């Protein structure tokens, strides 16, 4: 019987980042049910680093992650994972309360500047008069970041098994007996980093789920020849009805900010959401659309209070939650992985996350 100190279920950004921090300190196996790690949410992200994204509970993790993404250790990556973008939060007169709430919630924490959005985005329609510029926002090279985490995991002795599904877990006196599609194995700790499947992993381990819900997000790529510049900021609606960002010359990535509850699955774009996205885009700017070049969807998984869940389950020894990362798992991955390692292994919090309070992320809040 094969035994590991830790088994991580899920090879997306959550499992890969935490695994990279744990490997070398324990024997770690990562189980990924797909043939490619990061196939679902990680591989379908419109990734950016934005301190306001996810709200005040997520902001400390995002802020702490920024320096590690911008200037990673040379042994982790020889180049930065980020490039300048900026975000322009836009709204109409009816969105004034949302504008004021954004400025109030992040006052003193995030650099935000009220602006006239029409001076920044040519073609923005006349009624979009409210704007807040978030200048520190960056694009993230998701593929490079995810591969760097997996590379570090392997370099430190971690083992990744692709196409390996967890069927059942049973608590034993000294840990867990896991039944997988590759056979049985034992471990001391099981980490639930399964994203949209997090509650299902809890169920097959005989536990009560936390209510982590997958929400479908539709994205499409438009060909927009009149796009004034590929360097324009990400444009985010204060009313959370859309956001879009240039993706090279003459192309835009657009989402209607949809959040339709979905079972865990290989997500496909919702055609009504595609139509809504285009309609909302045309409400905001006067750029003609030449074509919808492609469309896709991913599942963003949220706990009931929309904050991530990090820590040991209070009712089940040796079961560690690392889930509920919504759409912010990539931008928070360095800080979250350090936090997860500290919570699991004990000891002082690493200096990079010394200002992060872990209590809002504990699974104890749901038990």
């Amino acid at each position: 019987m094969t035994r590991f100190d830790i088994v991580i279920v899920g090879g997306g950004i959550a499992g890969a980042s935490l695994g990279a921090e744990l490997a070398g300190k324990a024997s770690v196996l990562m189980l990924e049910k797909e043939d490619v790690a990061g196939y679902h949410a990680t591989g379908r992200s419109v990734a950016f680093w934005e301190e306001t994204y996810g709200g005040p509970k997520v902001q400390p993790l995002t802020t702490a992650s920024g320096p590690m993404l911008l200037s990673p250790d040379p042994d982790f990556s020889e180049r930065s994972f980020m490039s300048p973008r900026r975000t322009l939060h836009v709204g109409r007169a009816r969105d004034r309360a949302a504008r004021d709430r954004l400025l109030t919630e992040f006052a003193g924490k995030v650099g935000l500047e009220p602006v006239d959005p029409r001076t920044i985005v040519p073609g923005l329609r006349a009624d979009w008069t409210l704007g807040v510029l978030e200048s520190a926002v960056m694009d993230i090279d998701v593929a490079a970041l995810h591969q760097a985490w997996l590379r570090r995991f392997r370099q430190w002795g971690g083992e990744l098994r692709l196409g390996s599904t967890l069927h059942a877990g049973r608590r034993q006196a000294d840990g867990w007996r896991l039944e997988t599609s590759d056979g049985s194995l034992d471990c001391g700790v099981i980490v639930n980093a399964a994203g949209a499947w997090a509650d299902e992993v809890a169920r097959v381990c005989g536990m009560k789920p936390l209510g982590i819900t997958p929400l479908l997000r539709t994205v499409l790529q438009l060909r927009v020849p009149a796009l004034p510049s590929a360097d324009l900021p990400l444009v985010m609606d204060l009313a959370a009805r859309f956001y879009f960002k240039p993706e090279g010359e003459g192309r835009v990535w657009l989402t209607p900010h949809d959040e339709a509850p979905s079972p865990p699955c290989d997500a496909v774009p919702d055609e009504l959401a595609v139509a809504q996205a285009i309609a909302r885009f045309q409400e905001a700017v006067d750029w003609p659309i030449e074509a919808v070049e492609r469309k896709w969807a991913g599942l963003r998984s949220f706990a009931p209070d929309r904050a991530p869940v990090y820590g040991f389950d209070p009712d089940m020894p040796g079961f560690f939650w690392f889930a509920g990362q919504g759409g912010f798992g990539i931008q928070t991955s360095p800080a979250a992985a350090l936090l997860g390692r500290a919570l699991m292994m004990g000891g002082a919090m690493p200096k990079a996350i010394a200002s992060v309070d872990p209590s809002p992320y504990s699974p104890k809040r749901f038990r």
Side-chain angles (χ1 to χ4, degrees):
M1 177 68 64
T2 304
R3 182 176 178 86
F4 295 87
D5 296 324
I6 301 166
V7 170
I8 299 173
V9 183
I13 200 73
S17 58
L18 181 58
E21 292 295 341
L22 295 173
K25 301 170 180 65
S27 59
V28 186
L29 170 67
M30 189 183 304
L31 301 178
E32 169 54 56
K33 71 185 185 66
E34 303 294 349
D35 294 331
V36 178
Y39 174 76
H40 292 285
T42 300
R44 309 180 193 197
S45 171
V46 183
F48 46 82
W49 179 86
E50 183 185 283
E51 291 171 282
T52 59
Y53 198 68
K57 288 184 179 179
V58 175
Q59 174 265 319
L61 293 167
T62 304
T63 299
S65 294
M68 293 181 274
L69 291 170
L70 184 62
S71 301
D73 291 337
D75 64 341
F76 183 48
S77 175
E78 296 179 352
R79 64 181 183 86
S80 176
F81 296 108
M82 303 213 290
S83 56
R85 171 57 62 188
R86 301 179 299 160
T87 288
L88 180 64
H89 303 269
V90 300
R92 293 171 277 198
R94 66 192 186 205
D95 301 317
R96 189 172 301 277
R99 191 273 311 270
D100 294 345
R101 185 167 58 251
L102 177 70
L103 292 169
T104 300
E105 285 182 336
F106 295 99
K109 300 175 182 177
V110 178
L112 298 172
E113 176 189 0
V115 295
D116 181 346
R118 296 163 298 182
T119 66
I120 297 174
V121 177
L124 194 65
R125 296 191 186 277
D127 54 338
W128 293 83
T129 56
L130 301 180
V132 176
L133 187 64
E134 188 173 351
S135 297
V137 173
M138 300 273 187
D139 286 341
I140 302 175
D141 187 337
V142 179
L145 177 61
H146 186 229
Q147 288 305 309
W149 287 125
L150 291 175
R151 184 169 58 251
R152 173 178 277 187
F153 175 68
R154 294 189 183 99
Q155 286 173 341
W156 285 100
E159 180 182 340
L160 171 62
R161 293 185 187 175
L162 298 173
S164 184
T165 302
L166 175 66
H167 293 310
R170 185 175 72 255
R171 180 68 191 172
Q172 301 182 130
D174 61 346
W176 290 87
R177 168 67 55 83
L178 305 182
E179 303 297 335
T180 79
S181 54
D182 295 326
S184 302
L185 59 93
D186 290 339
C187 67
V189 173
I190 180 171
V191 176
N192 185 355
W197 284 262
D199 269 7
E200 180 60 26
V201 166
R203 289 189 187 94
V204 302
C205 291
M207 296 178 55
K208 182 181 178 182
L210 294 184
I212 294 178
T213 303
L215 303 178
L216 189 142
R217 170 63 50 88
T218 300
V219 186
L220 48 156
Q221 178 173 299
L222 304 179
R223 186 162 70 247
V224 186
L227 178 67
S229 169
D231 296 327
L232 286 178
L234 183 157
V235 177
M236 186 166 287
D237 178 23
L238 284 163
R241 297 174 66 249
F242 67 83
Y243 65 79
F244 63 85
K245 72 167 184 171
E247 188 60 24
E249 185 176 350
R251 284 173 173 80
V252 166
W253 280 4
L254 166 70
T255 172
H257 222 286
D258 51 330
E259 291 190 339
S262 169
C265 64
D266 187 355
V268 296
D270 179 83
E271 291 304 322
L272 176 59
V274 170
Q276 288 174 333
I278 294 171
R280 293 170 185 178
F281 180 77
Q282 292 178 320
E283 283 180 17
V285 293
D286 63 6
W287 309 337
I289 298 171
E290 191 170 276
V292 177
E293 294 189 321
R294 62 189 183 103
K295 49 195 173 183
W296 66 96
L299 298 179
R300 304 154 70 253
S301 302
F302 289 92
D305 61 359
R306 297 181 74 89
V309 187
Y310 303 138
F312 283 107
D313 192 285
D315 296 337
M316 183 63 77
F319 190 95
F320 192 90
W321 290 89
F322 202 70
Q325 294 185 300
F328 41 80
I330 294 164
Q331 69 174 27
T332 61
S333 60
L338 289 175
L339 178 61
R341 185 191 76 190
L343 292 173
M344 187 179 300
M345 309 295 283
M349 287 289 174
K351 183 178 179 180
I353 59 167
S355 63
V356 176
D357 176 10
S359 60
Y361 315 125
S362 172
K364 292 179 181 179
R365 68 192 196 268
F366 298 118
R367 295 303 193 200

